[in-house]
Amino acid sequence: MAESTIKLTIKFGGRSIPLSVSHDATTKELKSLLQPITNVLPRGQKLIFKGKVLGETSTLKQSLVGDGAKIMLMASQGLHQGEGPVLKEASTRPISRTVVDKAKPGLVVDKNRADRWKATGVIALAQANLKEIPEEVWECGSAARVLDVSENFIREVPARISSFTSIHKLFLQGNGLSDESIQWEGIASLKRLMLLSISHNNLSVLPSEVGSLTSLRQLDVANNKLTSLPNEIGLLTQLEIFKANNNRITSLPESIGDCSFLMEVDLSANMISELPETVTKLRKLKTLELNNTGLTTLPSVLFKMCLQLSTLGLHNTEITVESLRQLEGWSEFDERRRTKHQKQIDFRVVGSGQFDEGADKSW
């Protein structure tokens, strides 16, 4: 071991994390090393050594942290920690239900209901204690336009879902689905699909097959365990609403700028530290939520290029009002924001022209 390197033990959430680091490293640098290990943004970390909080710019040597030292890590609420985001109501399953012990894997469906499904094209089976999609559902085939099996206990979305050639909306949220649970080749063949909701599951990967869903208008992958987005997301040129909040995404692909119809984007509670410049190509963008992220800056021409942007969420980021005012197009954005939120202006503005949608005044 080099003389300039010391070994530390970080105590966090009941765990002991061994770490080797330069004795000349600052607390800020140590926090950056801990981010990928703990999923806690640096600004949400408080490092305590011998009862004292380590100063941000002090080196470990200056703080008298030596080889073999034990440091306690405290994480702030609202930022990522451990297995996922720390939320007031963090839960993979958004609704708590009593499980029927004797529930059959295939729900018994009366003939009249099956006939109604075929006649209306709407298959509504949310919160039905299902462990699998019933056989009667598959019999609807091309007659199905909407399938809602949300908030169940579905173990698998099989490839035979491709038989729903006319389906427009597919709701799969709140089932605890894993990456292995979904046969994506089946979903990828649904060329008329306009809405896909797979939020509140246990997905760690959004596969490239999602790029085949070129008719999508709405995509909701919130409250999963995604760490990245595929480049193929740029093929969703008709996408208008994209929700990916409460994941572990660290960066966005540049191809996001090709989703030229995007109007609403929610990336809150992720590990994103910067946005690609291609975001400024989203000329129809009206709402951009970036709360609880690691952002410190925005693309310099965001306000200048995104002329319809009127809602910008920046709570719990390091972006300040002063930095926003330096961006070209700020005044025009601020006017749009004021116009949209006229009824709430007294609550959002302190004094004259003070921005209050998340950006802090000073740090």
Side-chain angles (χ1 to χ4, degrees):
M1 181 178 69
E3 291 183 0
S4 60
T5 301
I6 59 175
K7 291 185 177 180
L8 305 176
T9 299
I10 310 298
K11 309 293 288 187
F12 172 62
R15 292 188 289 160
S16 294
I17 303 171
L19 194 67
S20 294
V21 63
S22 170
H23 206 188
D24 293 319
T26 63
T27 299
K28 184 176 182 179
E29 292 170 336
L30 177 57
K31 288 181 177 181
S32 296
L33 290 174
L34 288 170
Q35 175 178 329
I37 300 173
T38 62
N39 281 333
V40 182
L41 294 169
R43 66 185 305 272
Q45 298 180 32
K46 181 184 292 185
L47 296 177
I48 302 174
F49 176 63
K50 292 186 176 181
K52 295 183 179 181
V53 178
L54 296 180
E56 194 79 357
T57 58
S58 298
T59 66
L60 297 177
K61 182 183 295 184
Q62 290 170 337
S63 299
L64 303 180
V65 177
D67 189 43
K70 296 181 179 179
I71 298 176
M72 179 179 294
L73 167 59
M74 304 290 289
S76 300
Q77 289 291 316
L79 301 177
H80 281 66
Q81 174 182 336
E83 292 301 312
V86 178
L87 305 171
K88 291 182 179 179
E89 298 178 355
S91 175
T92 300
R93 306 297 294 277
I95 296 179
S96 178
R97 301 180 304 280
T98 301
V99 179
V100 179
D101 292 335
K102 296 183 180 180
K104 301 294 184 181
L107 184 69
V108 177
V109 181
D110 63 80
K111 189 67 165 63
N112 289 336
R113 178 179 290 187
D115 287 342
R116 286 198 301 272
W117 289 347
K118 292 179 181 179
T120 64
V122 179
I123 306 168
L125 287 171
Q127 301 184 45
N129 287 316
L130 296 176
K131 293 183 180 179
E132 64 181 37
I133 300 175
E135 192 64 33
E136 292 88 347
V137 170
W138 301 118
E139 294 175 4
C140 294
S142 60
R145 293 184 299 108
V146 178
L147 174 60
D148 185 354
V149 290
S150 59
E151 297 163 17
N152 281 291
F153 305 91
I154 302 296
R155 298 169 177 168
E156 181 185 13
V157 181
R160 64 190 297 196
I161 200 169
S162 62
S163 64
F164 293 161
T165 54
S166 299
I167 197 167
H168 290 170
K169 299 180 180 180
L170 179 58
F171 299 91
L172 299 171
Q173 70 268 25
N175 275 288
L177 293 167
S178 65
D179 296 329
E180 296 75 25
S181 301
I182 302 178
Q183 300 298 314
W184 277 96
E185 64 270 21
I187 292 181
S189 67
L190 306 178
K191 300 304 181 182
R192 297 186 181 183
L193 193 63
M194 300 176 68
L195 183 154
L196 174 61
S197 178
I198 49 176
S199 65
H200 291 89
N201 283 299
N202 291 311
L203 304 177
S204 61
V205 175
L206 186 64
S208 60
E209 285 87 344
V210 74
S212 299
L213 302 173
T214 52
S215 293
L216 271 188
R217 302 293 194 275
Q218 299 182 46
L219 176 60
D220 188 352
V221 297
N223 292 88
N224 278 286
K225 298 178 180 179
L226 303 178
T227 57
S228 63
L229 298 173
N231 288 327
E232 287 78 6
I233 200 164
L235 299 175
L236 306 182
T237 55
Q238 301 301 309
L239 195 63
E240 298 174 356
I241 299 175
F242 179 48
K243 296 182 179 182
N245 50 294
N246 294 303
N247 278 285
R248 304 175 186 172
I249 299 169
T250 57
S251 62
L252 299 181
E254 292 191 358
S255 61
I256 192 74
D258 296 327
C259 302
S260 56
F261 274 82
L262 270 177
M263 294 187 292
E264 179 181 338
V265 175
D266 191 347
L267 295 165
S268 300
N270 277 290
M271 307 296 288
I272 298 170
S273 58
E274 64 179 354
L275 297 178
E277 289 291 331
T278 52
V279 167
T280 61
K281 295 168 60 179
L282 304 178
R283 306 301 168 79
K284 296 182 182 294
L285 189 64
K286 296 180 179 180
T287 299
L288 180 58
E289 298 289 354
L290 299 166
N291 307 300
N292 292 318
T293 61
L295 287 172
T296 57
T297 61
L298 294 174
S300 60
V301 294
L302 180 67
F303 296 143
K304 177 183 177 181
M305 304 301 290
C306 299
L307 296 179
Q308 296 191 46
L309 185 64
S310 58
T311 298
L312 178 62
L314 294 170
H315 289 283
N316 291 323
T317 69
E318 295 188 19
I319 298 177
T320 65
V321 175
E322 286 75 14
S323 66
L324 290 177
R325 290 183 180 279
Q326 302 305 312
L327 301 183
E328 187 175 359
W330 157 261
S331 297
E332 292 79 5
F333 162 74
D334 195 34
E335 181 61 31
R336 291 193 301 272
R337 180 184 67 85
R338 288 170 176 270
T339 300
K340 179 177 180 180
H341 302 290
Q342 191 64 47
K343 291 183 180 180
Q344 294 86 18
I345 197 70
D346 291 337
F347 299 94
R348 292 181 180 272
V349 176
V350 180
S352 176
Q354 293 295 313
F355 182 72
D356 187 27
E357 286 188 1
D360 289 337
K361 297 178 184 178
S362 61
W363 289 90

